[in-house]
Amino acid sequence: MFRTLVFHEIRPEEELLDQPRPIAVADGYQDAMPLPLFNSTSHFKQQLAFLKAENYHTLTLSEVKAYLFAQQPIPEKSVLLTFDDCYQSMKEYAYPLLKEAGFNASVFVVTGWLYDQPHAYTPAVSRVLSQSELLAMTDVFEYANHTDHFHARNGLKSRSMWETTADFAADLAACNQWVPIKDVFAYPFGFYDQRTIDTLTEEGFTLAFTTKSGINTRNTPPLELQRDVIPFNMPLQAFKELFHS
């Protein structure tokens, strides 16, 4: 069994004062990142130090598939670290901290949001990275599908829930033209329905991640794997209790 953790932005606390922070993406989609989806660098360092001290193994998506479908064992202390959306802070702060700890992570990419060229780091907005910047970090990060242009919301629905099945399938295929891992998906905003699951199945996806908290076992539906959102300034004791429950 294993837990999956999801992060969006890791930043120094002095950059987390003005909320919400607007996002800046290549396709022009407009939204804002709320404070709970940020994590401070100080807390992230403590969390990584705990995992390191407890000898946790950071899983790859291939190991997750082998565990679920081929009955391959995983270390007793295993965790899957994930990031969504590819904001600049992932490169600026998360990447060096993960590399220093010797950990890897899986990243869910909205390919339509990626810029053609790198931009200077801009603390005032949540700007997305470029393809070349992601490719330079493959020693730590592996990349999977988070849609091409379908990371949009309307109330408690994501775009994949109101567009046609054919259009959603086409968007998945467009994202897969870039991401190396083409059969793993993360639901934008954690929103999905049975039609979403059915489309993923038809398009050959084997794993999909929600934002529902919990421990994943071989009995967890592989297209409804659970992820724990690690919120802003989560106390270290609360973080530790995730692994002792």
Side-chain angles (χ1 to χ4, degrees), residues 193-236:
D193 56 16
Q194 188 58 49
R195 188 170 69 102
T196 315
I197 295 174
D198 291 344
T199 303
L200 292 175
T201 302
E202 291 167 4
E203 297 305 313
F205 283 78
T206 59
L207 305 179
F209 289 87
T210 71
T211 53
K212 297 176 181 177
S213 178
I215 296 173
N216 295 301
T217 71
R218 288 196 175 103
N219 294 322
T220 307
L223 294 181
E224 294 182 88
L225 293 169
Q226 300 175 102
R227 290 198 296 172
D228 292 280
V229 177
I230 306 302
F232 175 69
N233 282 356
M234 182 182 201
L236 182 59

Side-chain angles (χ1 to χ4, degrees), residues 7-11 24-26 33 82-92 106-115 121 126-131 133-135 137 141-147 151 175 178-179:
F7 302 92
H8 289 76
E9 289 228 56
I10 310 295
R11 293 187 182 225
V25 303
M33 283 281 292
T82 69
F83 284 78
D84 284 3
D85 306 344
C86 304
Y87 296 108
Q88 286 180 318
S89 61
M90 192 180 85
K91 173 188 174 184
E92 190 80 6
S106 302
V107 179
F108 294 100
V109 185
V110 187
T111 49
W113 285 11
L114 298 178
Y115 287 96
Y121 179 66
S126 291
R127 186 181 299 279
V128 168
L129 294 163
S130 65
Q131 292 185 16
E133 289 172 300
L134 295 186
L135 291 173
M137 297 187 289
F141 296 130
E142 59 179 356
Y143 302 113
N145 197 310
H146 204 31
T147 77
H151 196 298
C175 183
W178 189 85
V179 295

Side-chain angles (χ1 to χ4, degrees), residues 14 30 97 163 179 218 244:
E14 59 267 24
Q30 295 183 353
L97 292 174
E163 297 281 6
V179 295
R218 288 196 175 103
H244 297 149

